[in-house]
Amino acid sequence: MKTLTAQQPVISKPARNSSVEFLRLFSLLSITLCHIMGSGDELMGFNRYVVVAGNSFFNAGTGVICFMLITGYYGLKLSAVKFNKTYSIIYSCAMAHLAYTLIIKEPSFAVTVHSLIPVSSSKWWYASCYIFTLLLSPFLNMIIERLSKKEFTCLISVSIFLFYVIPTFLYFDIMNDRGKGLVSMIIVYFIGAYLRKYPVKISKKKLFAALFILLTIMLAGNIAGAIVLDEACWPFSRDCTVTTLAVAVTEFLLALNFNYTLKALNFVSSKTFYMFLLANVTQRHYIPIDGYSNSLLFFPICAANALITVALAFVVSLVLQFVAKLIQIILEAAEKLGLKMLKSAPAEKIKNKLTKFINTEINV
């Protein structure tokens, strides 16, 4: 094994394409849709299995894994600018949620505390994992660059077996976080980096076939579990299952097989992190679903609510960015004004008097 050094490796970043950005937005919509559909426990009959199918085809776990696969593929590079930008997004979204709670809902002590310290309190587990991965990225990137292909393959294979294969069939996970934690996200980051370092050449036809087979297996397993347990459940769509990971990797490889550029799509996708966090604020049943629990319109209404939720999150993200830019302009103007005032004649006179007074006191 090659010796690890403290030198920060230089990682080349492939140019982004709109196919990957579309996967980003699709993942966001899938996550939002699953949250809006709920657990399905209150549903009876057909729609209980609609929720199971929805969590098979539009899996929230797959969406989160796709987020980190993309991050690993393009790579993270720690810098003060990158950290401040990421943390400011998380904090501004947390403040938006706090303001919404205080103004629209009843004040909550838990929401207040989590909003004031959103990263350390894991207000949004993925956001906390992302920023911790960013902080660890210099060391993670050293591992990626220094390990040979054989060593890197072995590391990923063992990690997948321990943290994804075992939880799939034994129904427990080592970290007891159901795949929603830092270790799982680092593994996915490594997989994304592996696909960048050692590109996999698989035809679109084979990838579509693999995706169809994986989704069929996932759906069949989830429905079987729902029938046996007599409740809405999706044991093969959990974040810590190998089926969920395999679907995410296949979708990501498919996205890499298409290469096109749509500026409008890329612009909307650039707000995905904002929208992902803000969806927790804007998420609700804008079109009531209470009367459709046993109707064929249940899924279309949930899908419409997911689209509205994401659209509103996009609008709020633009408002937050505008406010942040405005504050930055004001602060820069205040800084310039302050420096100008300090260099003015009255300021210099006061400075000289203070200096003379301090020197006199010291001499005394």
Side-chain angles (χ1 to χ4, degrees):
M1 184 182 295
K2 297 179 182 180
T3 305
L4 297 179
T5 66
Q7 184 179 358
Q8 173 79 15
V10 178
I11 300 177
S12 59
K13 292 189 177 184
R16 294 180 183 270
N17 71 74
S18 295
S19 180
V20 174
E21 302 310 309
F22 175 79
L23 177 62
R24 226 189 273 269
L25 291 174
F26 177 77
S27 298
L28 173 63
L29 282 168
S30 297
I31 294 167
T32 307
L33 175 60
C34 288
H35 290 168
I36 285 178
M37 285 193 298
S39 64
D41 292 336
E42 71 283 359
L43 301 174
M44 299 297 294
F46 176 76
N47 278 330
R48 174 175 287 187
Y49 296 100
V50 167
V51 173
V52 174
N55 279 276
S56 300
F57 296 128
F58 307 98
N59 185 3
T62 299
V64 172
I65 291 175
C66 282
F67 283 160
M68 190 53 76
L69 279 173
I70 295 170
T71 300
Y73 184 78
Y74 289 113
L76 284 174
K77 186 175 181 182
L78 179 62
S79 66
V81 173
K82 176 68 174 176
F83 178 83
N84 290 337
K85 181 181 178 181
T86 304
Y87 193 86
S88 65
I89 291 174
I90 297 172
Y91 203 79
S92 62
C93 291
M95 290 299 100
H97 189 201
L98 179 60
Y100 169 78
T101 303
L102 295 176
I103 297 171
I104 307 299
K105 292 187 173 182
E106 293 183 3
S108 167
F109 178 76
V111 171
T112 302
V113 172
H114 288 165
S115 296
L116 292 175
I117 47 174
V119 173
S120 56
S121 68
S122 194
K123 180 178 179 65
W124 297 292
W125 73 267
Y126 178 78
S128 296
C129 288
Y130 182 88
I131 206 163
F132 292 148
T133 303
L134 174 61
L135 290 171
L136 292 171
S137 62
F139 308 102
L140 299 179
N141 292 339
M142 275 194 286
I143 293 172
I144 292 166
E145 293 300 312
R146 298 294 185 259
L147 292 184
S148 67
K149 184 177 181 179
K150 182 178 179 181
E151 292 164 344
F152 201 10
T153 303
C154 183
L155 171 64
I156 290 176
S157 299
V158 171
S159 299
I160 290 174
F161 179 77
L162 291 176
F163 295 95
Y164 287 94
V165 176
I166 290 178
T168 302
F169 300 103
L170 299 184
Y171 214 79
F172 83 93
D173 56 284
I174 297 171
M175 302 305 295
N176 199 30
D177 57 10
R178 298 173 298 169
K180 302 177 187 292
L182 182 60
V183 173
S184 297
M185 291 299 98
I186 288 176
I187 293 170
V188 176
Y189 180 85
F190 279 154
I191 295 172
Y194 185 94
L195 294 174
R196 178 192 72 241
K197 192 174 181 181
Y198 308 108
V200 177
K201 301 296 182 182
I202 305 175
S203 67
K204 298 174 186 176
K205 185 177 179 180
K206 289 182 179 179
L207 286 171
F208 274 118
L211 182 60
F212 176 78
I213 293 170
L214 286 169
L215 289 175
T216 302
I217 292 172
M218 185 181 287
L219 177 63
N222 289 340
I223 290 179
I227 292 173
V228 171
L229 298 176
D230 192 26
E231 63 180 16
C233 63
W234 34 93
F236 291 95
S237 296
R238 293 171 295 129
D239 295 49
C240 57
T241 60
V242 70
T243 44
T244 299
L245 178 65
V247 169
V249 172
T250 305
E251 290 179 350
F252 180 60
L253 289 174
L254 264 174
L256 292 178
N257 267 267
F258 294 88
N259 195 356
Y260 59 92
T261 301
L262 291 174
K263 291 184 178 180
L265 178 62
N266 289 355
F267 174 74
V268 176
S269 177
S270 68
K271 318 299 179 189
T272 301
F273 195 41
Y274 264 112
M275 291 188 286
F276 174 69
L277 303 181
L278 290 169
N280 289 271
V281 182
T282 60
Q283 177 183 306
R284 62 184 42 79
H285 297 150
Y286 296 96
I287 305 174
I289 63 172
D290 295 339
Y292 299 94
S293 58
N294 293 312
S295 169
L296 293 176
L297 293 175
F298 173 77
F299 182 79
I301 290 175
C302 287
N305 282 323
L307 286 170
I308 295 171
T309 294
V310 172
L312 287 175
F314 174 70
V315 173
V316 176
S317 73
L318 295 179
V319 172
L320 288 180
Q321 284 189 304
F322 174 78
V323 172
K325 187 67 176 177
L326 186 62
I327 292 174
Q328 182 182 359
I329 293 172
I330 293 173
L331 290 176
E332 288 176 353
E335 182 181 7
K336 290 179 181 178
L337 180 61
L339 290 173
K340 186 176 181 181
M341 290 178 65
L342 287 173
K343 292 179 181 179
S344 64
E348 288 293 331
K349 188 175 181 180
I350 295 172
K351 180 181 176 182
N352 292 334
K353 286 185 176 181
L354 285 173
T355 302
K356 185 177 179 180
F357 173 76
I358 292 171
N359 290 335
T360 301
E361 290 295 319
I362 292 174
N363 293 330
V364 171

